[in-house]
Amino acid sequence: MSTCPESYTCSDEGLLLPIVSEASWPTGARATVYLIGLLWSFMAIAIIADIFMSAISTITSHTQEVKIPDDSESGYKTIEVLRWNGTVANLTLMALGSSAPEILLSIIEIVFNDFKSGELGPSTVVGSAAFNLMVICGVCVIGIPSSETRRIKKLKVFAITAVFSVLAYVWLIIILMVNTPDFVDLWEAVVTLFMFPILVILAYILDKNYFGSASVDDETGLEVGGEDNLLSQEHADKQVIVEMLRRLKSNPDADEKEVARLTAHLMEQNQHHNRAWYRINAIRTLTGGTRLTTPLTDKSNELLETLLVAEEAGGDPDFIHLSEGGKKAIVEFESPSTAVIEKEGRVKINVIRHGNLDRRVLFRIETIDGTAEATSDYKPLKKTMVFEPKETLLSFDIEIIDDNTWEPDEVFFIRMTIEPEQQAVLGKHPVTQVTILNDDEPGTVQFANPSFLFKESVGCAQVKVERINGCDGRIVAKWKTKDITAVGGRDYENTSGEIVFEHGELTKMIEINIKDDLEFEKDENFEVDLVEVDGGAKLGKLKRCVVTIVNDDEFAGFVDRIADLTNANLDALRLGKQTWAKQFEEALNVNGGDLETATAFSYLLHFMTFGFKSFFALIPPPTIWGGWLCFFVSLLCIGLITAIVADLANIFGCLIGLESEVTAITFVALGTSLPDLFASKTAATMEKYADSAIGNVTGSNSVNVFLGLGFAWVVAAIYWTSKGVSFEVPAGSLGFSVAIFTVCAIVTLILIVVRRVVGVFGNAELGGPKTPKLISGFFMIFLWLVYVLLASLQTYGYIEGF
């Protein structure tokens, strides 16, 4: 009969593992295999948690129609409301989805350990809570741009969850170290478990403001579907598409597929999302799966930069304010053209920078001949210029050569370029024209063309007026319109006005608003006349022009096609809409099949998780039974993977001499909490408020204790009470870990409150001025390091007294 060698250690640490004999394996090789397996299993947990959260989002997004009184003829109106209150959903199903691995780990460890308390489960609950509160909050504080802040909106709910998140761990100290040291009586376990519904009820009461005056939004007492709904906007708004196309008119390469991709991206970015949406999106990003935002291609990114230029020029700032493209600087010439009298000897050119002002930006300028020639009419220039941080205006001079001979007006150009590695883009004036004038006449004013053609959907027709043969002084030109077949006030507005040419200006635009009545009409036209000009200037030959308004049914069809493509993109992002076939299609393809935006890293992540994705695609989709079947099957799978994680962590820790408590608060806690870190960071930057970023952290930390420890301890306490003895839970390292965490948690929460009320931090929980933001954020992370260090030292006996 053969026996295992004495070196075959740690073989009895697992419930399911090892599945083969590892007696002949070197200890180092075994430790490496178990470490890789542990890290790989965290990916499996992330993928199944994604499916679990999708089921939860489907369940909590169900709506119903409710009639409420109003002033209409019927006496009421019908609105759609969520069946689940947002706060209740966050503290129950959402918290369960986020904390399921930690909760199930604690339960499985007790049930399969002959109802004896283990070290891994409780320590993981505390370690995960420490990481969530201190590291995630610290990263979110730091991650907000210095010029921005985020405040908690539902402050009362946050306050009650914060109090309970501390109370939960104070209660653990009481039952483990004060009331019944090293034992948990049945009533103590029951109280621990029943704190969970108490928290949910109190949070719901505060959310509904039952003991205060209702806000305007809550007067109906109902929660209208939308703010807490996980789904994106149902349909593309054609008005949004039309507005986007107007702003993209300077980009002739805007094809409908890329415009639809950009429209879906911006619509999704501007939606409100809750914690579950951000967690699912973070998991899919980490595993090369189907992301919940439409990724942009290089071409659609170029279109986005065009939109940014249009916004800076006076567009609606809310249109794309959440887009990532807004993080680049925009550099351009201040004016598209400049004139200089030859005898003045030099011309001053201004360059402006807008958009992001926080970076140093390098760009190059160079002159290009037109009718004016370098060295004979002007001195050529080719140089590199630099915008320092916060700098918005730069100027440079070009020397003009006065040759004392009469010549007609001549022009040359100055071109600007930016290297690709610069975090900046060119604006709408990357080239400026310089006109050299040979006299000091005020000039002649006339239209650039005898006729102009605009589509009815253009919104604002810009009729170009030129100033030639001189640009000295300030002049004012008056204009008016004259109906032909188009009627002023019905088909167009702004029937008269004036334009002002400042000294040196050569072009101006008459802006006439065109009305789109969305009806089929023949082409219509009207006349624009220049009636007089002052300052000694003259009117030229082209002092009247004809503007033709073209009916654009073709344009309407183009908009319809973009709307259909946009809706298809939005449909692909919706949770709870998948079929079994769609699940397998997304599981078997990188980025869920969107190969156009897949990166090499996406392919690597997809390859590493391909087996898990394929297996978990067998889980019933959330469309069946309202998501409940997917919910329970996913929960069962999480339990199975969690049992494997427990074995891998215990054996790995044993092989390298790491105590289970230390393994729990480091490797296991980080592995289960990383998706929450990425989700919170994204929510902090995308959302207007801090609730989705840190508002749910305290609630999850409470639920971890009340469900993760409370439920497991009730089961174990019932078992041991039936045998006439108490359930033993040695305080030891767990008690010390809880005590240290409680102190660090209180300090962290106090700092969050101080940030909200003290102006130096920006009066907000997240963001604010750079230096205070960095100090407070890194201090929170430092508290987590202190917690891990002290808990580890106590586990190894370097700190006595516990």
Side-chain angles (χ1 to χ4, degrees):
M1 179 177 179
S2 62
T3 59
C4 293
E6 292 183 3
S7 60
Y8 188 28
T9 58
C10 307
S11 59
D12 58 346
E13 292 287 331
L15 173 67
L16 304 175
L17 302 178
I19 56 176
V20 297
S21 175
E22 303 166 0
S24 60
W25 297 14
T27 301
R30 291 179 64 200
T32 302
V33 169
Y34 276 96
L35 176 60
I36 294 173
L38 182 62
L39 299 178
W40 199 30
S41 66
F42 289 146
M43 287 190 168
I45 285 183
I47 293 171
I48 188 60
D50 168 12
I51 300 172
F52 188 48
M53 293 295 284
S54 296
I56 291 173
S57 72
T58 301
I59 294 168
T60 57
S61 62
H62 290 162
T63 60
Q64 62 185 7
E65 291 186 349
V66 175
K67 292 181 174 63
I68 61 173
D70 72 350
D71 296 330
S72 63
E73 293 182 2
S74 63
Y76 65 87
K77 67 177 179 179
T78 302
I79 62 173
E80 198 172 66
V81 301
L82 290 168
R83 294 179 181 175
W84 281 77
N85 171 268
T87 296
V88 173
N90 283 337
L91 289 176
T92 54
L93 293 183
M94 297 292 185
L96 179 61
S98 178
S99 304
E102 296 96 321
I103 294 172
L104 290 178
L105 180 60
S106 180
I107 295 172
I108 290 171
E109 186 178 40
I110 282 183
V111 172
F112 290 96
N113 192 34
D114 296 327
F115 296 97
K116 297 177 182 178
S117 177
E119 295 86 11
L120 194 66
S123 295
T124 298
V125 167
V126 182
S128 178
F131 185 88
N132 290 344
L133 181 60
M134 300 164 205
V135 176
I136 290 181
C137 288
V139 170
C140 289
V141 168
I142 297 170
I144 303 297
S146 298
S147 58
E148 300 177 16
T149 59
R150 303 287 188 275
R151 288 167 62 90
I152 295 288
K153 182 180 181 182
K154 296 185 177 182
L155 187 59
K156 293 181 180 179
V157 174
F158 176 75
I160 192 66
T161 56
V163 170
F164 267 76
S165 69
V166 175
L167 178 62
Y169 294 90
V170 171
W171 173 245
L172 291 184
I173 294 173
I174 292 173
I175 62 177
L176 291 177
M177 304 172 65
V178 179
N179 191 48
T180 55
D182 298 326
F183 289 93
V184 175
D185 290 342
L186 178 58
W187 74 268
E188 294 173 326
V190 170
V191 169
T192 304
L193 180 61
F194 271 85
M195 282 186 179
F196 171 65
I198 293 173
L199 168 62
V200 174
I201 293 171
L202 289 177
Y204 177 76
I205 291 174
L206 290 174
D207 181 42
K208 286 302 182 181
N209 212 6
Y210 283 143
F211 299 117
S213 57
S215 64
V216 175
D217 292 336
D218 294 329
E219 283 182 349
T220 63
L222 299 173
E223 195 160 358
V224 179
E227 182 176 348
D228 291 315
N229 198 326
L230 286 177
L231 304 182
S232 301
Q233 186 171 329
E234 292 295 325
H235 300 288
D237 188 339
K238 291 185 180 180
Q239 290 301 113
V240 172
I241 296 174
V242 170
E243 175 63 19
M244 182 178 295
L245 291 173
R246 287 173 181 165
R247 300 183 185 203
L248 293 174
K249 61 189 177 189
S250 61
N251 192 320
D253 300 324
D255 65 79
E256 55 193 54
K257 181 180 177 182
E258 295 299 339
V259 173
R261 179 184 288 272
L262 179 57
T263 304
H265 174 82
L266 294 177
M267 289 175 66
E268 186 61 35
Q269 289 277 20
N270 281 281
Q271 294 296 311
H272 165 77
H273 304 292
N274 66 12
R275 179 78 175 184
W277 187 93
Y278 287 106
R279 197 174 197 276
I280 293 171
N281 197 45
I283 290 171
R284 295 186 181 184
T285 302
L286 291 172
T287 58
T290 306
R291 283 172 284 181
L292 299 183
T293 54
T294 305
L296 298 182
T297 61
D298 291 339
K299 183 58 187 174
S300 51
N301 260 315
E302 291 179 12
L303 297 180
L304 177 58
E305 299 300 345
T306 302
L307 285 180
L308 288 168
V309 172
E311 178 184 317
E312 292 290 339
D316 180 3
D318 290 333
F319 190 67
I320 50 176
H321 77 282
L322 289 177
S323 173
E324 293 179 352
K327 297 180 180 178
K328 289 189 176 182
I330 302 170
V331 180
E332 61 181 327
F333 289 109
E334 187 176 45
S335 173
S337 61
T338 304
V340 58
I341 298 174
E342 187 179 61
K343 64 183 180 181
E344 290 184 354
R346 62 181 57 250
V347 59
K348 182 178 181 180
I349 305 297
N350 291 333
V351 181
I352 58 174
R353 190 259 291 265
H354 44 110
N356 189 307
L357 305 179
D358 296 331
R359 296 187 178 93
R360 190 171 186 263
V361 176
L362 282 74
F363 62 96
R364 293 181 60 81
I365 56 168
E366 63 175 324
T367 53
I368 301 172
D369 286 351
T371 55
E373 297 180 354
T375 66
S376 61
D377 296 307
Y378 69 94
K379 288 190 176 181
L381 181 66
K382 187 175 184 180
K383 63 183 292 188
T384 298
M385 301 184 68
V386 180
F387 273 110
E388 298 295 342
K390 305 302 181 184
E391 198 170 13
T392 59
L393 177 66
L394 291 176
S395 300
F396 62 91
D397 291 341
I398 294 180
E399 186 173 344
I400 305 299
I401 300 174
D402 188 355
D403 52 15
N404 295 319
T405 59
W406 184 91
E407 294 174 304
D409 294 348
E410 299 174 307
V411 299
F412 66 94
F413 305 91
I414 309 172
R415 181 176 62 188
M416 180 189 305
T417 57
I418 296 179
E419 296 299 327
E421 65 270 13
Q422 295 292 310
Q423 291 296 311
V425 294
L426 294 174
K428 60 181 179 180
H429 299 145
V431 176
T432 187
Q433 174 184 296
V434 179
T435 302
I436 303 174
L437 305 176
N438 277 274
D439 55 31
D440 55 358
E441 294 293 327
T444 301
V445 177
Q446 64 179 24
F447 289 108
N449 298 299
S451 63
F452 295 86
L453 188 70
F454 299 100
K455 289 186 175 182
E456 190 177 42
S457 61
V458 72
C460 180
Q462 294 189 327
V463 180
K464 186 176 182 180
V465 182
E466 295 180 334
R467 182 185 191 183
I468 60 175
N469 299 327
C471 64
D472 185 48
R474 181 181 187 270
I475 62 173
V476 178
K478 295 183 179 181
W479 60 271
K480 68 177 182 179
T481 62
K482 181 179 179 181
D483 294 348
I484 302 179
T485 57
V487 178
R490 185 192 70 184
D491 299 307
Y492 65 94
E493 297 176 348
N494 304 342
T495 55
S496 64
E498 60 182 34
I499 51 176
V500 179
F501 288 88
E502 299 293 345
H503 174 72
E505 284 190 318
L506 298 177
T507 60
K508 280 291 182 180
M509 296 291 184
I510 295 176
E511 295 186 346
I512 301 174
N513 293 329
I514 305 298
K515 291 189 174 183
D516 189 349
D517 52 18
L518 301 178
E519 296 178 359
F520 177 79
E521 299 172 303
K522 294 181 179 180
D523 295 347
E524 299 171 312
N525 47 47
F526 61 93
E527 184 178 296
V528 184
D529 297 340
L530 293 171
V531 292
E532 66 176 87
V533 62
D534 65 3
K538 298 180 293 184
L539 292 177
K541 294 180 179 180
L542 296 178
K543 56 185 176 182
R544 60 171 54 94
C545 69
V546 175
V547 175
T548 301
I549 305 172
V550 182
N551 183 271
D552 51 357
D553 286 343
E554 179 183 350
F555 178 77
F558 183 59
V559 171
D560 288 339
R561 291 194 299 274
I562 292 177
D564 291 339
L565 288 170
T566 301
N567 288 329
N569 286 330
L570 292 173
D571 285 338
L573 303 178
R574 291 174 184 161
L575 296 171
K577 300 293 184 182
Q578 298 95 334
T579 61
W580 244 311
K582 185 65 175 178
Q583 284 187 175
F584 276 102
E585 178 186 342
E586 293 182 352
L588 298 176
N589 292 282
V590 65
N591 268 11
D594 186 8
L595 304 182
E596 193 173 2
T597 60
T599 63
F601 192 57
S602 300
Y603 278 97
L604 175 62
L605 293 174
H606 179 68
F607 173 77
M608 295 173 62
T609 57
F610 180 79
F612 295 134
K613 290 180 180 178
S614 302
F615 179 75
F616 292 139
L618 295 170
I619 295 175
T623 49
I624 300 176
W625 294 354
W628 286 107
L629 182 59
C630 179
F631 176 88
F632 287 111
V633 175
S634 301
L635 189 62
L636 181 65
C637 292
I638 291 176
L640 176 62
I641 300 298
T642 302
I644 296 174
V645 168
D647 284 2
L648 290 168
N650 278 323
I651 296 175
F652 170 70
C654 176
L655 289 171
I656 65 172
L658 201 62
E659 295 291 341
S660 296
E661 295 90 339
V662 180
T663 304
I665 64 174
T666 53
F667 288 97
V668 182
L670 265 66
T672 56
S673 298
L674 278 178
D676 289 303
L677 173 63
F678 289 103
S680 292
K681 172 61 173 63
T682 305
T685 54
M686 285 182 60
E687 291 286 324
K688 289 174 60 177
Y689 300 101
D691 299 69
S692 294
I694 65 171
N696 294 309
V697 169
T698 51
S700 295
N701 285 356
S702 305
V703 172
N704 281 355
V705 174
F706 301 150
L707 287 185
L709 297 183
F711 183 80
W713 284 358
V714 166
V715 173
I718 291 174
Y719 174 82
W720 290 108
T721 301
S722 67
K723 293 183 174 295
V725 296
S726 295
F727 172 43
E728 184 178 2
V729 182
S733 298
L734 177 61
F736 181 83
S737 177
V738 171
I740 293 299
F741 165 74
T742 303
V743 173
C744 293
I746 292 174
V747 173
T748 302
L749 291 172
I750 290 175
L751 179 56
I752 291 175
V753 173
V754 169
R755 284 186 51 84
R756 184 181 178 91
V757 299
V758 177
V760 70
F761 294 106
N763 292 114
E765 289 83 358
L766 306 181
K770 183 176 182 180
T771 300
K773 174 186 71 174
L774 294 177
I775 292 174
S776 56
F778 281 117
F779 179 73
M780 293 180 188
I781 298 174
F782 171 74
L783 286 176
W784 176 73
L785 295 174
V786 170
Y787 158 76
V788 171
L789 178 62
L790 293 180
S792 300
L793 290 175
Q794 195 279 334
T795 299
Y796 286 100
Y798 292 102
I799 299 178
E800 302 293 340
F802 283 86

